[in-house]
Amino acid sequence: MKLKHWMNASLGLGATLLSSHSIWAAPSNDKYFGLDVKITAQSEDDRDLGTRDGGDVQGLGLDVRPWVYGQRGNWSAYAMGQAVSASDIIETDTLQPNALDGDSASRNDSRQPDKSYLALREFWVGYSGLTAYPGEELRFGRQRLRNDDSQWRDTNIEALNWTFDTTLLRANLGVAERFSEYRSDIDELAPEDEDRLHLFADAATQWTPGHWLGVNAHHSRDDGQLRSTGEAVDDLDKRTTGDLTWLGLSANSDAYNFRNQNPVNYWASVAWLSGERERLDTTGSGDQRIASGKQSGDVNAWGTDLGLRLRLDPSWQVGAAYARGSGGGSDDGSGNYQQTGLQSNRSNFTGTRSRVHRFGEAFRGELSNLQAATLFGSWQVREDYDASLVYHRLWRVDGEQPIGDSGINASLVNGDKDLGQEVDLVVTKYFKQGLLPASMSQAIDEPSALMRFRGGVFKPGDAYGSEADSLMHRAFVDVIWRY
């Protein structure tokens, strides 16, 4: 595709811009190169809930990310690399998809992660001279795309993206497609990313101080091919294709901004999904899967996320939330809502600087045939400490349909809706502020240094059957320093 050829051209242009010292002379009050160092300890018990061998993780990892940034007039360029070395296959990157979490990854060697690897996280060229507004920029290359609730986009992907960010109006317009993982240990794309083009747009206006109304649109076109009846199917073969369109409406009180001091914060969003989807049916077991036919049909589904947070005093907040992604509708699952495939579902919904998974640090669900009720409390002292305690209750909407992607790698029992419940704890201590250039403040989530514990304990429900373990946990300790 032309987009891929343009992407290759941008790599050469970005390298030229970044290597030209005379053009990219950094102002004395800004920093244009640096090194992010992250040490992660992970403990995880039975993501397969004891139904298969393996599934445990106990390890320590070092993640080093050198970066360079250049700016001259309206032009800018940025690149970040990554080198990871660990004692086990652990998660040092919160943007890493569930499909690369060790035992839940593909059995095909080309998608099997290694303990140590090299990666290229971002490389882009930006231009901010299309309008006179300071919050406007056009970026081309592999970049971080993210919206506030991260339920539409939160990933590093090759894209052409225009951003308009002012006091009263925020907007994005772009096109994206994943061509590679840019990791030394991963040779192939996940099947759901292969030959899949994304078009997206959103706009939000501050209709009254501190209150935003927004609209989102997203279209994905999957041109991949499904196996024909009788052909063998492996882990890298597509199971679904289709053209899907999402339209969404949202309202919030700047609820994802941890600095706001509103006594009451709220968020509300609803999205509709329509289009055509084709699914591959298979027979057999284990590694021996054979295509047995295809199901195709129109999609008509919806999802919603609602939340309310109350500030008890300057440090303490409490809140509740409810989310539902429709399920069922027919045997082919045409009523099953699914997210765009670019989401992380990590956001500041608890009211702190720390981003927490909306559907559980252990369960890590996707809003597809899922219903989640959430209670939480949070604590924040200036910008030195924060903590969030979160409880989730989870169900399937349709007990006969799958739930989409999650952090649990275990089979579901037909007819049972009770997925289980979870308690999460995220605690962070922040250190030394102000080492990052102001120009990168929107692209990097954290301050200069921190120590964080994030973990969840998941208790499976009847939908996972009587053979499942009674508890599963996933916990991390992260230490981050930015030079």
Side-chain angles (χ1 to χ4, degrees):
M1 294 180 61
K2 291 183 178 180
L3 180 61
K4 187 172 184 177
H5 297 312
W6 294 343
M7 198 66 64
N8 292 333
S10 75
L11 281 172
L13 175 61
T16 302
L17 292 174
L18 289 170
S19 63
S20 176
H21 180 74
S22 61
I23 295 178
W24 299 107
S28 59
N29 61 343
D30 258 346
K31 182 180 178 183
Y32 285 111
F33 60 90
L35 187 70
D36 297 0
V37 178
K38 183 177 185 180
I39 299 173
T40 298
Q42 179 178 350
S43 173
E44 183 177 325
D45 178 40
D46 278 346
R47 69 181 60 143
D48 51 33
L49 304 182
T51 58
R52 281 175 281 187
D53 293 335
D56 297 341
V57 177
Q58 304 287 335
L60 183 69
L62 174 66
D63 186 336
V64 179
R65 305 178 186 180
W67 59 269
V68 58
Y69 174 74
Q71 185 174 4
R72 175 74 174 187
N74 292 326
W75 289 93
S76 60
Y78 177 72
M80 173 181 274
Q82 183 177 25
V84 175
S85 181
S87 62
D88 201 345
I89 299 175
I90 70 170
E91 175 196 284
T92 64
D93 186 357
T94 55
L95 294 184
Q96 179 175 300
N98 292 324
L100 286 179
D101 285 350
D103 288 348
S104 64
S106 168
R107 290 181 290 272
N108 189 297
D109 288 342
S110 59
R111 287 287 298 171
Q112 181 64 40
D114 293 335
K115 297 177 183 178
S116 301
Y117 62 90
L118 300 175
L120 187 57
R121 292 179 60 84
E122 293 188 64
F123 49 87
W124 50 259
V125 176
Y127 179 71
S128 57
L130 296 180
T131 73
Y133 292 92
E136 175 268 330
E137 185 179 31
L138 179 69
R139 286 184 182 178
F140 182 71
R142 182 173 167 87
Q143 59 190 280
R144 176 81 173 272
L145 299 179
R146 192 182 84 190
N147 65 306
D148 285 343
D149 65 10
S150 296
Q151 293 184 23
W152 292 77
R153 301 182 303 277
D154 187 16
T155 189
N156 292 325
I157 189 173
E158 301 91 313
L160 176 64
N161 181 47
W162 179 75
T163 298
F164 187 84
D165 189 353
T166 65
T167 302
L168 299 178
L169 179 65
R170 300 171 183 166
N172 289 276
L173 177 66
V175 54
E177 183 172 353
R178 201 179 301 281
F179 299 112
S180 173
E181 299 285 1
Y182 300 96
R183 286 176 48 154
S184 60
D185 57 339
I186 305 297
D187 298 325
E188 299 286 344
L189 286 175
E192 57 269 22
D193 287 328
E194 191 77 41
D195 299 318
R196 189 177 183 190
L197 179 69
H198 300 268
L199 305 171
F200 58 88
D202 63 67
T205 181
Q206 189 174 196
W207 62 277
T208 192
H211 297 269
W212 293 83
L213 292 174
V215 58
N216 290 73
H218 191 109
H219 177 78
S220 72
R221 179 179 179 85
D222 193 330
D223 290 326
Q225 298 294 319
L226 301 180
R227 290 289 187 181
S228 300
T229 301
E231 291 185 322
V233 180
D234 64 28
D235 289 346
L236 294 182
D237 288 324
K238 281 186 172 290
R239 305 299 177 96
T240 63
T241 60
D243 290 344
L244 299 173
T245 300
W246 291 259
L247 294 175
L249 299 174
S250 63
N252 71 79
S253 59
D254 208 17
Y256 299 104
N257 178 5
F258 72 93
R259 290 187 174 89
N260 90 56
Q261 293 295 310
N262 299 339
V264 178
N265 277 291
Y266 65 88
W267 69 88
S269 66
V270 61
W272 295 270
L273 171 62
S274 62
E276 298 177 348
R277 184 165 50 197
E278 187 173 32
R279 297 178 181 271
L280 180 67
D281 292 331
T282 62
T283 59
S285 60
D287 296 333
Q288 303 298 319
R289 307 295 301 182
I290 303 297
S292 60
K294 302 173 184 177
Q295 297 185 36
S296 60
D298 295 334
V299 180
N300 185 14
W302 61 275
T304 188
D305 186 21
L306 310 171
L308 182 67
R309 192 173 71 240
L310 306 177
R311 184 175 298 279
L312 304 180
D313 64 28
S315 298
W316 291 91
Q317 300 181 73
V318 296
Y322 173 80
R324 181 186 178 99
S326 65
S330 66
D331 292 340
D332 64 1
S334 61
N336 280 15
Y337 183 77
Q338 68 180 74
Q339 293 182 260
T340 63
L342 303 183
Q343 77 284 344
S344 74
N345 291 325
R346 290 190 171 276
S347 68
N348 307 91
F349 72 92
T350 65
T352 68
R353 182 198 295 264
S354 298
R355 300 172 71 227
V356 181
H357 200 291
R358 179 64 184 84
F359 306 115
E361 291 291 329
F363 182 74
R364 297 185 181 183
E366 175 188 347
L367 195 60
S368 176
N369 193 30
L370 179 70
Q371 186 175 205
T374 303
L375 298 173
F376 61 88
S378 64
W379 171 74
Q380 183 166 290
V381 178
R382 298 180 299 278
E383 295 191 2
D384 298 324
Y385 299 90
D386 64 44
S388 298
L389 182 64
V390 188
Y391 170 78
H392 300 279
R393 192 74 169 89
L394 305 159
W395 302 268
R396 277 194 289 184
V397 176
D398 185 331
E400 304 294 333
Q401 295 289 337
I403 60 171
D405 195 20
S406 77
I408 303 298
N409 186 23
S411 300
L412 293 166
V413 176
N414 283 339
D416 285 309
K417 296 183 178 182
D418 181 15
L419 293 170
Q421 49 193 317
E422 177 169 334
V423 175
D424 295 337
L425 177 64
V426 179
V427 181
T428 308
K429 162 62 178 173
Y430 300 95
F431 301 96
K432 197 173 182 180
Q433 308 289 310
L435 295 185
L436 296 175
S439 54
M440 294 307 298
S441 62
Q442 297 301 315
I444 298 178
D445 294 337
E446 308 294 355
S448 298
L450 63 86
M451 180 179 293
R452 171 175 294 146
F453 170 84
R454 52 189 173 94
V457 177
F458 176 67
K459 180 177 175 59
D462 293 339
Y464 285 104
S466 59
E467 301 299 320
D469 288 347
S470 58
L471 291 174
M472 175 268 182
H473 80 268
R474 182 184 271 118
F476 301 84
V477 175
D478 296 319
V479 178
I480 299 174
W481 185 263
R482 292 190 166 94
Y483 295 94

